[in-house]
Amino acid sequence: MIIAFAQHGLGEEAIQLFEKMLALGIKPDHITYVGVLSACIHVGLVEKGKNYYNLMKNVHKIEPTPSHYSCMVDLFGRAGLLQEAYDFIENMPIEPDVEAWGSLLSSCRVYKNIELGKIAAERFLLIEPNNSGAYSALSNLYSACGKWDDAAKIRKSMRDGGIKKKQGISWVQIQNKIHFFGVEDALHPQKDAIYNMMAKIWEEIKKRGFVPDTESVLHDLEDEVKEQILRHHSEKLAIAFGLISTPENTTLRIMKNLRVCNDCHSAIKFISELVGREIIVRDATRFHHFKDGLCSCRDYW
């Protein structure tokens, strides 16, 4: 239950449940601590997370596992404390794994720290030389900082090494059938209706104040082209299809194999208010509950 609360953005509820366990004298195990640390990560409670980590080691005498170390790196990184995250990795008593370096690399992408991002990517690739995620994250970091040539070099090295980037895919189940979508997907038999619906939604949410996040398109293109790509991201197409395929007021449930991007997250908040529906998106790490223009993660994910 603690882990489920954390995954659904209910960090405070997860922590309350953990505190209730302690009050009842139930000793947490290592899995319980992964759950409560995850809850602290998802709501940005850095100090509380540090306190729980110390409680685990010093009071309950639980030796941290790689999962606990990765949680702490993620806790610091998501809060923008990148140097603390790096120092924590360097002081770990065990060899850092790809989860720890991957967490730091992901945070460097968000906060545009090229120096630490390069270190994280290099150490990551020493462990898994052919991991496409590390290459993509470093390329995206360069692109986010406007270093297009460096990003192009990373993509070229991927092509030369035969390393394929993991494609973003979203899917939705309608009447026991699963419908898959990629970015700018042209394969669905109802493509025209889906694209028309998305075009109408796009114009309406812009009227309500939505501003497309063109920085989410990590290529050196004109803003108009970037906006078109953003409009046809896989989760947006899945939502548009869901809207034309289900009764009004029903909840939409979308799945995605990667982390939801900033633009889609912002757009879906506006869409939920526009259509008067709850839209639940499960991305690679958590569930986002969009309703009435808000998200359960409170824009911290």
Side-chain angles (χ1 to χ4, degrees):
M1 286 182 69
I2 290 170
I3 291 171
F5 277 137
Q7 288 180 330
H8 286 266
L10 303 171
E12 295 293 344
E13 288 83 345
I15 289 168
Q16 288 171 12
L17 198 56
F18 179 76
E19 292 289 350
K20 186 176 181 180
M21 280 184 66
L22 297 182
L24 291 172
I26 302 171
K27 182 182 176 181
D29 62 11
H30 67 285
I31 296 172
T32 318
Y33 269 107
V34 170
V36 76
L37 289 175
S38 296
C40 293
I41 290 167
H42 288 313
V43 290
L45 296 174
V46 177
E47 289 304 316
K48 190 172 281 290
K50 288 165 65 176
N51 290 338
Y52 284 145
Y53 178 76
N54 291 328
L55 183 71
M56 176 185 74
K57 289 200 308 177
N58 301 328
V59 177
H60 291 125
K61 306 300 181 183
I62 296 173
E63 192 66 27
T65 68
S67 293
H68 299 116
Y69 291 129
S70 294
C71 281
M72 294 305 293
V73 174
D74 212 13
L75 179 70
F76 292 129
R78 286 176 189 258
L81 303 172
L82 302 182
Q83 190 60 50
E84 283 194 46
Y86 177 69
D87 292 343
F88 184 89
I89 292 176
E90 289 293 277
N91 290 315
M92 284 167 50
I94 63 172
E95 194 67 28
D97 60 10
V98 292
E99 293 294 330
W101 289 118
S103 292
L104 178 59
L105 179 55
S106 177
S107 296
C108 288
R109 152 72 183 91
V110 173
Y111 291 100
K112 300 181 180 180
N113 187 316
I114 290 179
E115 182 182 348
L116 283 180
K118 285 173 63 178
I119 294 172
E122 288 168 1
R123 299 289 289 274
F124 188 117
L125 291 169
L126 282 175
I127 304 170
E128 290 188 8
N130 296 320
N131 189 295
S132 64
Y135 282 101
S136 295
L138 184 57
S139 172
N140 292 344
L141 171 57
Y142 282 133
S143 297
C145 296
K147 293 187 174 294
W148 306 111
D149 291 342
D150 291 324
K153 288 177 183 176
I154 297 295
R155 290 195 293 271
K156 182 178 184 300
S157 68
M158 290 179 70
R159 289 193 300 271
D160 292 345
I163 299 168
K164 293 185 177 180
K165 178 182 177 182
K166 189 176 182 180
Q167 298 300 311
I169 296 173
S170 298
W171 59 98
V172 59
Q173 182 173 322
I174 305 292
Q175 295 181 345
N176 297 321
K177 183 178 179 181
I178 298 174
H179 299 259
F180 292 90
F181 299 90
V183 63
E184 296 200 284
D185 200 313
L187 299 177
H188 198 280
Q190 292 176 255
K191 176 204 164 188
D192 290 342
I194 293 167
Y195 274 52
N196 287 337
M197 170 59 81
M198 196 61 243
K200 291 177 183 176
I201 289 172
W202 195 255
E203 292 308 313
E204 286 300 319
I205 62 176
K206 285 174 70 176
K207 289 177 185 176
R208 290 170 175 250
F210 168 69
V211 178
D213 180 14
T214 52
E215 287 190 7
S216 291
V217 179
L218 301 172
H219 297 281
D220 192 10
L221 302 168
E222 296 293 329
D223 281 351
E224 186 177 337
V225 178
K226 287 185 175 183
E227 188 171 326
Q228 178 180 320
I229 294 172
L230 290 172
R231 191 164 68 241
H232 299 150
H233 269 192
S234 65
E235 52 266 65
K236 295 190 182 87
L237 296 179
I239 288 170
F241 175 68
L243 290 173
I244 65 175
S245 305
T246 57
E248 291 185 9
N249 301 320
T250 56
T251 298
L252 290 182
R253 291 176 172 84
I254 311 296
M255 306 290 190
K256 183 175 173 65
N257 67 332
L258 301 178
R259 183 181 182 272
V260 64
C261 78
N262 292 337
D263 183 80
C264 284
H265 194 272
S266 177
I268 298 170
K269 287 195 298 181
F270 278 90
I271 294 170
S272 70
E273 185 175 38
L274 173 70
V275 301
R277 297 209 205 184
E278 182 176 7
I279 302 172
I280 301 172
V281 178
R282 192 222 70 187
D283 69 6
T285 58
R286 67 184 300 170
F287 290 81
H288 296 264
H289 295 252
F290 298 92
K291 190 175 183 180
D292 299 327
L294 300 171
C295 180
S296 58
C297 77
R298 303 178 201 135
D299 299 338
Y300 189 93
W301 84 99

